[in-house]
Amino acid sequence: MLADFAAVVDKGTRDEALLSSIDWERLPRHVAVIMDGNGRWAAKRGQPRIIGHRAGVEAVRASVDTGARLGLKALTLYAFSTENWKRPRLEVDALMRMLRRYIRLELDEIDRQNIRFQTIGRTDSLAPNVQREINRATERTASNTGMILSVALHKWRDANL
Ligand code: IPE
Ligand code: MG
């Protein structure tokens, strides 16, 4: 809803122009995002991949906030594809830490925005501390009635390696 953006969008900015061009009658109900290109984004700036992943988390934060304000019914983020599990151990570990940290830092805000958090795909091969964070967020937001935020994960054993 337009009023929901009042506090976060300043007059005369590109965001305001974008906002005013929205046809509110024709918004999609469900938006799904395949997250990709973090590494290339960083490489273009002469930075290590992890910097790209960090920027990716910021993009997620902005997408979740915007989706909820727009009143989307569902936002699905395809965060860890099969290909992601074949990466160097250090990078996979860093991505897992970032997922855990994202949930930890954002859960209050997600709950405040009445968002229902869930994962799709199997989570049972994720590190126990990541699973714990996922379960905590899922349980805490289970009765929320706003946007459904799904993080799509692929279990490595399903990956047919
Ligand atoms: C998306 O970016 C990463 C994840 C969703 C984990 P990539 O890490 O695939 O970056 P590129 O595609 O190599 O640039
Ligand atoms: Mg990629």
Side-chain angles (χ1 to χ4, degrees):
M1 219 206 218
L2 197 54
D4 293 319
F5 287 91
V8 288
V9 170
D10 295 326
K11 291 247 173 303
T13 59
R14 183 170 162 267
D15 282 350
E16 197 207 16
L18 277 173
L19 198 54
S20 65
S21 69
I22 288 175
D23 180 349
W24 293 86
E25 302 300 313
R26 300 182 63 227
L27 275 184
R29 272 187 268 262
H30 188 165
V31 173
V33 179
I34 298 172
M35 296 161 69
D36 198 14
N38 290 354
R40 279 163 283 166
W41 184 93
K44 249 198 222 161
R45 289 159 178 78
Q47 304 275 356
R49 296 179 61 81
I50 187 75
I51 299 296
H53 293 319
R54 270 186 211 146
V57 173
E58 285 315 309
V60 165
R61 230 189 285 280
S63 306
V64 171
D65 183 70
T66 305
R69 286 177 203 272
L70 286 171
L72 298 183
K73 298 274 174 256
L75 176 64
T76 297
L77 305 173
Y78 189 26
F80 297 100
S81 70
T82 306
E83 176 255 343
N84 293 153
W85 295 107
K86 300 178 197 160
R87 295 177 184 211
R89 176 77 197 274
L90 270 179
E91 186 173 351
V92 172
D93 285 352
L95 288 168
M96 285 296 131
R97 266 201 309 279
M98 290 172 94
L99 173 61
R100 203 173 103 223
R101 193 176 136 84
Y102 168 78
I103 299 173
R104 240 201 331 244
L105 292 178
E106 290 302 302
L107 185 55
D108 280 346
E109 182 59 19
I110 284 172
D111 195 29
R112 200 188 61 73
Q113 288 193 294
N114 195 25
I115 295 168
R116 178 143 64 91
F117 177 93
Q118 64 175 23
T119 51
I120 49 180
R122 291 176 62 180
T123 53
D124 54 348
S125 64
L126 300 179
N129 58 10
V130 180
Q131 290 189 45
R132 255 197 312 277
E133 218 56 56
I134 287 173
N135 292 339
R136 195 166 73 88
T138 306
E139 282 161 24
R140 176 147 155 220
T141 64
S143 59
N144 286 353
T145 55
M147 186 176 81
I148 299 169
L149 171 61
S150 303
V151 177
L153 303 160
H154 231 290
K155 187 186 170 192
W156 70 269
R157 258 182 268 145
D158 297 337
N160 209 8
L161 297 177

